[in-house]
Amino acid sequence: MRGTFTPHRTLAAVLAMAAAGTVALTGCGTTEKPVKPATMPHMEPQQQDVFERRADDIVRHWPKHLSPMPGRRAAVLPLVSAERPKDAGQREITVTVGHSACDVHFGARQYESEDVVVVSGWGKKKSAKGMCTEMLATDKVKVKLEKPLGGRKVIDAATGKQLAAG
């Protein structure tokens, strides 16, 4: 007896090879049908959001002059200012976010590279219903950095301009 045929062993082997993307299954005919590797939801490449795309663009082209983003987006609000910490070893900067007076949630986010820290404000309104003034509100927000700021430039994602010269 050369080997025992068991449906479970054969199926397990086929599934293992299919997961690796190396199997071509055939039916009764002679046409081969390639099997694509299975994809897991956590393995799919994540799409960059509008802020991440803009920040990535700034990092690639810095220090060339960048034009401001067209229009106003709640995910990329311009900053009023940024305060450079006195100690370059700190992992936190304070920015002043300009947002709508109707925003119930607001904050700032960062995108870091070796040379720059791209920062943007964001805001979320309470609802689309009801009246809202076009009044600008400003609030200071602390942004935590992955690495100390050091000599890196702080760039506003919305305008493409350097903040907190240092």
Side-chain angles (χ1 to χ4, degrees):
M1 193 182 223
R2 285 194 230 184
T4 308
F5 170 76
T6 63
H8 298 294
R9 263 193 210 154
T10 304
L11 180 59
V14 168
L15 289 175
M17 289 188 290
T22 59
V23 168
L25 296 177
T26 60
C28 295
T30 58
T31 307
E32 288 189 4
K33 295 183 181 180
V35 177
K36 293 182 182 176
T39 57
M40 303 298 286
H42 65 283
M43 295 174 72
E44 294 287 323
Q46 299 225 348
Q47 292 283 349
Q48 287 185 320
D49 65 20
V50 67
F51 168 73
E52 292 166 330
R53 284 191 305 272
R54 173 65 173 176
D56 189 46
D57 190 46
I58 289 172
V59 167
R60 276 192 318 235
H61 295 100
W62 185 259
K64 292 180 183 176
H65 175 72
L66 294 157
S67 56
M69 284 185 71
R72 183 170 173 88
R73 295 183 171 94
V76 186
L77 296 177
L79 298 174
V80 176
S81 65
E83 298 171 16
R84 191 167 198 88
K86 292 179 181 23
D87 177 11
Q90 283 192 340
R91 293 181 180 215
E92 185 176 88
I93 57 175
T94 303
V95 297
T96 303
V97 178
H99 60 90
S100 165
C102 294
D103 287 341
V104 291
H105 300 290
F106 59 87
R109 54 191 292 208
Q110 91 287 354
Y111 184 102
E112 300 181 46
S113 77
E114 280 186 38
D115 301 320
V116 299
V117 175
V118 181
V119 187
S120 171
W122 60 268
K124 184 172 181 179
K125 295 186 184 339
K126 40 186 155 187
S127 74
K129 298 178 183 178
M131 303 261 307
C132 182
T133 66
E134 293 293 323
M135 189 173 182
L136 177 69
T138 60
D139 284 282
K140 290 188 177 199
V141 176
K142 293 193 181 288
V143 178
K144 296 192 186 294
L145 303 174
E146 294 173 14
K147 296 179 181 177
L149 181 59
R152 296 186 290 175
K153 309 291 185 214
V154 179
I155 311 299
D156 180 354
T159 65
K161 293 184 179 178
Q162 182 177 343
L163 300 168

